[in-house]
Amino acid sequence: MTASSHFPSYSEGKTNSVAASPLSSLKIEARELSLFYGKKQALKDINAQIMENSITALIGPSGCGKSTFLRCLNRMNDLIESVKISGTVLLEGQDIYAKNVDVVRLRQRVGMVFQKPNPFPMSIFDNIAYGPRLLGVKNKTDLSNLVENTLQDSALWGEVKDDLKKSALSLSGGQQQRLCIARALAVKPDVVLMDEPCSALDPISTLKIEELMRELRDKYTIVIVTHNMQQAARVSDTTGFFLLGELIEIDASSKIFTDPSDKKTEDYITGRFG
Amino acid sequence: MVAESFENAPPRAAASAKEPIRREGFSLSHLVESGFYWGTAFFAGLVLLITVLIAFQLWRTSLPAIHAFGWKFLTTSTWDPVADVYGAWPFIYGTLMSSFLALLLAVPIGVGTAVFLAELSPKWMRTPLSFMVELLAAVPSVVYGLWGVLVMVPALRPFQSWLSEHFSSIPLFVGAPMGYSMMAGGLILAIMILPFITAISREVIKAVPPTQREAAFGLGATHWEAIKGPILKSARSGIIGAIILGLARALGETMAITMVIGNGNGANISLLAPANTLSSALANQFAEASGQQVSALMYLALVLFGITIVVNAMARFLIWRMARDLGRAA
Amino acid sequence: MSNQSQKSITLTPSPSLMMRRKLANTLMFGGASLATFIAVVPLLLVLYYITVRGFSALNANFFLHAQKPPDDVTGGMKHAILGTLMIIGIASCLGLPCGVLGGIYLSEFGKNRFGAAVRFAADVLNGIPSIVIGIFIYAVAILPLKNPHFSAWAGGLALGVMMFPTIMRTTEEILKLVPISLREGALALGDTHWHSILKVVLSTARGGVITGILLAIARISGETAPLLFTALGNSGVNLNPNRPTASLPKAIYDFATNPSDYWHLLAWGGSLVLVAMILVLSIAARYFTANRLGESN
């Protein structure tokens, strides 16, 4: 039972995911990144490279550090008190953990979509306009245009355009998540991090969001944590496999899912554990 | 063989005929059950009875005053027990103004403190501060009044003198700085409702799910921007509920405010002037009142009763609305 | 996918905007800290005066002597302490059974319109200013007497009326938490309804009910207004409930409004005793819920 037999889309040569072209540049790089929750080490010397305009999937069993790693990329782990980090993360060559880094600005450039949709208790319009308003956009027309464009980009415009003043909480789960994606896109980030964005959604919403990801790839760099391997295989160009806080292997998805280098990766993919 | 053993088997059918399941006629247990029901129902109904009785009693004893003064009672200012002319406006004004002042001070300070406690305060501060809030909740009104009389009012006098010297052109600060004044009343009420508003606001802010905070930070908000936006929005109804409940408490407050507000009899705009509220007027005058004055005082009590019912109903409505909105969003 | 008009809006914030946002952040948090400081000062002062001044007033005289003339420094508050205990005792004897039994009705039988009306009335009663309740009791329990006089009975009645709706509502809430499975278990064994309520439901919820009772007692023990026109007050020890009786809150009120410095000191002592009493009741109340029904507070 080889890896490739689990993922026939690869062996058939069907390419949903094109490996990032060699001309694209290095967007994010992690070097010897380690993270401790108090005494417990959650990430061990992670080295990873994420290319621009690509979709990178991070897979692995529960609790192995993929979400923790993701949250390092926009310094969301700073919010947890007992966290200690060593090593570094470079965004376009600049160390984001350096002393005078503007974290607020960083988080605008590296956006995040969370596992459970978390729209603000405001109207759809205000949710999306929240980020731009922080950045000083006040003009009503500018805001409306921005809201409409991002809603179109996230494939939600058709469903909500008739009533943007409606409360965001009245949308369905799948719609709320697409709203959160739109909200993240509204601040025009370079990178979008997604932490298991579809795990709380039904299959149809999941497919819609996967389609969305493929369309977004041209303009953004996307890193997604998922424990759905089929999803990773479907959408990503690069896949990284995490196990017990270590990044075991990171490579083109076509390789990982058909002929992984490390036995642990192969075991996970063929379902021997996890 | 089997048939034999059946014939010799004990006559079960006959035995069950001796113990009918249905009860016939009178049964002690049934009576006790009934008694229990009606007994407890009686006590429950007692609450209804008492409440109705209070409303009725207030109504009945204030009738003479209602007949004599009608609605004008609420707007006229003369309160003269000698001539038996009564107008409640100074006391209504006193109640409303002192509560308004209390809210004006307690709400921004209370919500600000709640934000500090919930978002900013270092861990070591949290337990002592909660303990302090706990202690303050145990302090009764008359003790606040004692503190007001012996500590606050004397401390207020120099401040009031200063105001009266430099700002007497503003009508708010006209008059002799006695200390016992509307200012003192508003201030002591503010101090009394402050711990309450702070504690509840803090709970409500802490109850906002951390995912909201994360979403705001993820979008690149500063800490304050995250609070101003999603966090305060989610906490808003809870905070408003706390404010209204604080208001309800301030309106009904009697002892502390009686002791510091000065027992004035006019509706004076100046914060330095002595004043009275509906409850302090009752406390000050009821013991020696007789005749028509009693009826007028009862009319005051009726007005106070009405105001507190309205405010409590508002609070209840808001809580209901909040629960409904939360339920819908979920 | 959209194309144009995105270019015209720049989302690269100017440095001055970022500075302003940072400044706003710092200012607002400075404001919150300032608010906290302003809040803490008077509150700490209140607690300080109560404890420090109060302690200095507590001596043997305080507890062993009743009220003496203002210039006599051997006077104490024995009369007020005993009076308060008596009045609270009366109030509890009245308010407790009514409240608990009424609460039982509401939780076990009260899902009808009568129950709704009762709940509404209880909430209204809870919200009535205590001075109005005092005046009410004066009007219905003192005036109609052949020989109208103030008494501890009337004072206890007023406080009992205040305790009644509070205890009723808390009892109801606690009883409602007892799971249906327990009730059905008793009934399935052939128990009668009323007996199962008393033996099973009530004893399971016992801790919570006691909590509600203790908190209600704590709340009314500091009340002064309802006693002004019912128990009135007394300068001496009085253990006859049919006569005007002193109470801690009333004595504090009288002593505070009198010019005598010594009486002021006594008032602080009385305040400390009162606050300590209320605090002990509140903490005891918490103890009873801590271990019951698997809930922690």
Side-chain angles (χ1 to χ4, degrees), chain B residues 2 143 322:
Chain B
V2 173
V143 174
M322 203 167 64

Side-chain angles (χ1 to χ4, degrees), chain A residues 9-175:
Chain A
S9 55
Y10 280 97
S11 40
E12 280 168 14
K14 177 166 146 213
T15 42
N16 287 330
S17 44
V18 178
S21 93
L23 292 177
S24 59
S25 52
L26 177 60
K27 192 76 177 175
I28 298 182
E29 183 176 3
R31 288 192 193 153
E32 315 269 313
L33 182 67
S34 294
L35 183 146
F36 294 83
Y37 286 118
K39 291 251 164 72
K40 178 166 169 273
Q41 183 166 21
L43 293 177
K44 301 183 177 131
D45 289 326
I46 311 286
N47 287 293
Q49 296 187 334
I50 294 170
M51 309 305 278
E52 195 170 8
N53 294 126
S54 71
I55 302 183
T56 304
L58 304 175
I59 60 172
S62 302
C64 58
K66 19 188 231 298
S67 290
T68 312
F69 173 70
L70 193 75
R71 291 166 66 101
C72 285
L73 302 182
N74 65 350
R75 292 186 63 168
M76 281 301 268
N77 283 328
D78 288 7
L79 298 178
I80 304 175
E81 280 187 30
S82 54
V83 159
K84 278 209 170 40
I85 292 185
S86 70
T88 187
V89 175
L90 304 173
L91 175 66
E92 289 181 349
Q94 299 171 54
D95 183 1
I96 66 174
Y97 281 97
K99 269 238 169 12
N100 50 4
V101 163
D102 184 350
V103 176
V104 170
R105 187 88 175 88
L106 170 71
R107 294 194 185 127
Q108 182 220 336
R109 291 190 58 196
V110 181
M112 187 168 232
V113 175
F114 300 83
Q115 186 170 353
K116 199 161 165 294
N118 51 8
F120 299 138
M122 308 168 189
S123 68
I124 296 174
F125 186 92
D126 286 331
N127 260 277
I128 302 193
Y130 180 79
R133 280 191 179 126
L134 291 180
L135 295 170
V137 179
K138 291 217 199 6
N139 182 304
K140 284 217 163 95
T141 336
D142 286 343
L143 282 174
S144 309
N145 285 337
L146 202 57
V147 169
E148 179 176 340
N149 289 332
T150 29
L151 282 172
Q152 284 185 345
D153 283 355
S154 10
L156 192 57
W157 176 247
E159 290 166 57
V160 300
K161 69 177 193 286
D162 293 324
D163 190 3
L164 292 176
K165 293 291 178 194
K166 209 165 54 150
S167 164
L169 300 173
S170 62
L171 298 175
S172 76
Q175 289 173 323

Side-chain angles (χ1 to χ4, degrees), chain A residues 102 105 108 135 153 186 188, chain C residues 2 5 11-12 17 21-22:
Chain A
D102 184 350
R105 187 88 175 88
Q108 182 220 336
L135 295 170
D153 283 355
K188 302 228 178 71
Chain C
S2 64
S5 82
L11 283 184
T12 315
L17 176 63
R21 288 172 66 188
K22 296 281 159 66

Side-chain angles (χ1 to χ4, degrees), chain B residues 302-315:
Chain B
L302 190 62
V303 172
L304 183 58
F305 181 62
I307 294 182
T308 44
I309 288 198
V310 165
V311 172
N312 273 306
M314 262 167 49

Side-chain angles (χ1 to χ4, degrees), chain B residues 16-27:
Chain B
S16 67
K18 289 184 199 145
E19 296 171 307
I21 293 186
R22 283 191 57 209
R23 288 205 203 105
E24 313 281 341
F26 184 77
S27 136

